[in-house]
Amino acid sequence: MERQARRGGPIAIGSFSTKTVEHGADDITEQDPAPQLRRRLGRADLRAVPEARRALRELLGQWGKHGQSDVAELLTSELVTNAIVHTDHDAVLTATVGPHGLRVEVRDFVARRPRLRVPVADDGTNGRGLLLVQSLADAWGVRPHGVGKAVWFELEAEAA
């Protein structure tokens, strides 16, 4: 997996986030599970894009981030659109919020990795999705996941 920093190349390689939380053996406090959104995205169902945006907006509203979801919604719609348009399979959207921020992941069942490409003027509006993710996310990447891959991004709490 490559972990991408905002506006840049890889910053770490591995199968985990560089942000780790260590819990001591004496830490037995119960924690509420992080609010989470999980949706199955039907193959070639472009209605999933606005539905994903709406569901994410509701999730972030429950989290207390009213009015700060524009970037999260935009990036989520880009990942969902890519999974629907560039694969011929279903996909799964997972969004998790926590004290440090938001993580959104779209898992599909095609191993082919997405390519970050510089759009050409003749492309119209195509080919800019991952460029937006790279530009606006605090971190993003692609990791193998079983028979497919998961494309993900993170926004820090202030940005989500």
Side-chain angles (χ1 to χ4, degrees):
M1 168 191 79
E2 289 184 5
R3 182 175 170 87
Q4 302 284 333
R6 182 182 286 183
R7 297 183 204 67
I11 60 172
I13 297 182
S15 61
F16 56 89
S17 173
T18 58
K19 297 178 185 177
T20 59
V21 178
E22 295 184 30
H23 296 285
D26 297 332
D27 186 8
I28 307 180
T29 56
E30 287 188 30
Q31 296 181 4
D32 292 331
Q36 187 176 69
L37 163 68
R38 188 168 172 87
R39 292 279 192 278
R40 186 155 197 93
L41 310 169
R43 177 176 59 184
D45 183 9
L46 290 176
R47 293 174 301 182
V49 178
E51 290 171 5
R53 290 178 73 120
R54 179 195 48 74
L56 183 68
R57 188 177 316 119
E58 288 177 12
L59 177 70
L60 293 177
Q62 294 171 5
W63 188 41
K65 296 294 177 186
H66 295 284
Q68 296 180 316
S69 64
D70 293 342
V71 170
E73 288 179 45
L74 173 65
L75 299 183
T76 299
S77 65
E78 292 299 334
L79 295 189
V80 168
T81 300
N82 284 351
I84 291 171
V85 170
H86 297 294
T87 69
D88 193 26
H89 297 275
D90 292 351
V92 177
L93 164 68
T94 305
T96 306
V97 293
H100 300 291
L102 169 72
R103 180 180 172 95
V104 173
E105 178 175 290
V106 176
R107 178 181 172 215
D108 64 45
F109 302 94
V110 175
R112 183 181 65 247
R113 295 174 64 89
R115 292 180 313 142
L116 184 65
R117 61 183 192 163
V118 178
V120 179
D122 296 343
D123 282 347
T125 58
N126 294 332
R128 292 171 173 78
L130 288 180
L131 222 60
L132 286 171
V133 173
Q134 180 184 38
S135 297
L136 298 173
D138 291 310
W140 78 282
V142 179
R143 66 178 174 84
H145 196 283
V147 296
K149 66 185 168 302
V151 183
W152 58 271
F153 72 85
E154 293 176 351
L155 293 174
E156 294 175 2
E158 303 80 45

